[in-house]
Amino acid sequence: MSTLEKTPSAGPGSAPRRGPDLAKVTGDLLRSRELAVLVVLLLLVVVATVKSDGFLSGDSWRDLLLTPSILLLLAAGQMLVIITRNVDLSVGSTLGITAYAAGDLMSSGSSPWVAALGAVALGALLGAVNGVIIAFGRVPALVITLGTMLAFRGILLHWAGSDRVNAGEMDPGFLDLGTAQVLTIPVLTIISLVVVVAVGYYLRTSRGGRELYAIGSDPDAAALFGLPIRRRVLGAFIASGALAGLAGVFWATRYGGVSSNAGEGIELQAVAAAVIGGVAIFGGSGSVWGAAIGAFLLVTIDRVLPILGVPDFYQQAVVGALIIGAIVLDRVLASRAERRLAVEREVAP
């Protein structure tokens, strides 16, 4: 979190204050991780379009936008947790159990609205379980969320067993949402982007958002400054769980059915999307915009590489290389920043 500096007020005859220097803003933009990831994404789309004429037409265009909608929600929630120096590995299991809950409620006669709100509330509750143990028990998030990932999945397996909620048991209007479009843009994608914008606005403009960054940047300094660390960390996990619950609703309407294996493995994709998008795995920096672009990039890679004739093994290797590269880049940039600050302290009067 950047500190605010006092600037002397302009005296008589002083030049009027100007807005941000255009050159500096442009330079910051060109150096941003988000822009770099966006350029890679656009290059992939261009290459795929050249290789396959139908890549951006008809159902391919719809699927290219629709498929990331679920991952966008998970990446946004994961980003909130990661900037506090934590991680949530339980979001895949939370998605699965909330998707099944939404389908089960509708099969029992509940309205889609009740089913959706119930799924989001259940996701928030599961997120609160993680948050309470981690924030108040001071237990590493990696260990706790790994445990709850298995526990939540076990609950789902016991609840669902070999049964599944089929499309015929759900409300037709609810299922139509999975294919609805506005100007060729899927409604689920629009909702996901609205959520991303809301999270970004909160982080940029609210005190709570700035405190999340401060906690991740230096937890000890945040504690000395009197920031409500436990409450903020708890809130981040509740938000992550609620967004996973909403992703569960999306899963049910997107695929028209839910079984006990819904969402398996997607938690790693959510972490990967955030990290590749520039969210520092060590906390304190990153943006939800970067996490969103990272989600689009991961889904686009899965669609583009087969068009280029790349085998499945190498597709996974490419994603792994991107994750490793993002983490290495974070450490390099952090080391440079530390050296620069050390030099500035030495030359300061």
Side-chain angles (χ1 to χ4, degrees), residues 327-337 339:
I327 294 175
V328 171
L329 180 60
D330 280 337
R331 297 314 302 157
V332 170
L333 293 177
S335 298
R336 286 183 178 180
R339 288 196 297 269

Side-chain angles (χ1 to χ4, degrees), residues 98-241:
T98 54
Y100 193 84
D104 191 57
L105 283 171
M106 278 185 284
S107 67
S108 301
S110 299
S111 71
W113 282 106
V114 171
L117 292 175
V120 173
L122 176 59
L125 177 62
L126 297 178
V129 171
N130 287 328
V132 168
I133 299 174
I134 292 165
F136 294 91
R138 298 177 182 273
V139 184
L142 180 65
V143 176
I144 293 301
T145 59
L146 179 61
T148 53
M149 176 186 75
L150 300 174
F152 296 163
R153 183 64 63 178
I155 293 172
L156 176 57
L157 289 171
H158 176 74
W159 181 11
S162 59
D163 296 333
R164 60 176 285 121
V165 179
N166 298 309
E169 302 175 76
M170 291 189 279
D171 186 274
F174 176 78
L175 296 175
D176 289 342
L177 185 64
T179 56
Q181 301 180 44
V182 176
L183 300 176
T184 73
I185 301 177
V187 171
L188 295 185
T189 303
I190 294 174
I191 297 174
S192 295
L193 292 175
V194 169
V195 170
V196 168
V197 170
V199 172
Y201 181 80
Y202 171 78
L203 291 172
R204 184 175 179 83
T205 63
S206 71
R207 177 177 178 178
R210 294 190 294 272
E211 288 178 349
L212 288 177
Y213 281 107
I215 291 168
S217 296
D218 193 333
D220 294 334
L224 290 174
F225 195 69
L227 298 185
I229 296 177
R230 292 178 178 177
R231 180 156 57 91
R232 295 304 182 200
V233 171
L234 173 61
F237 275 97
I238 291 176
S240 177

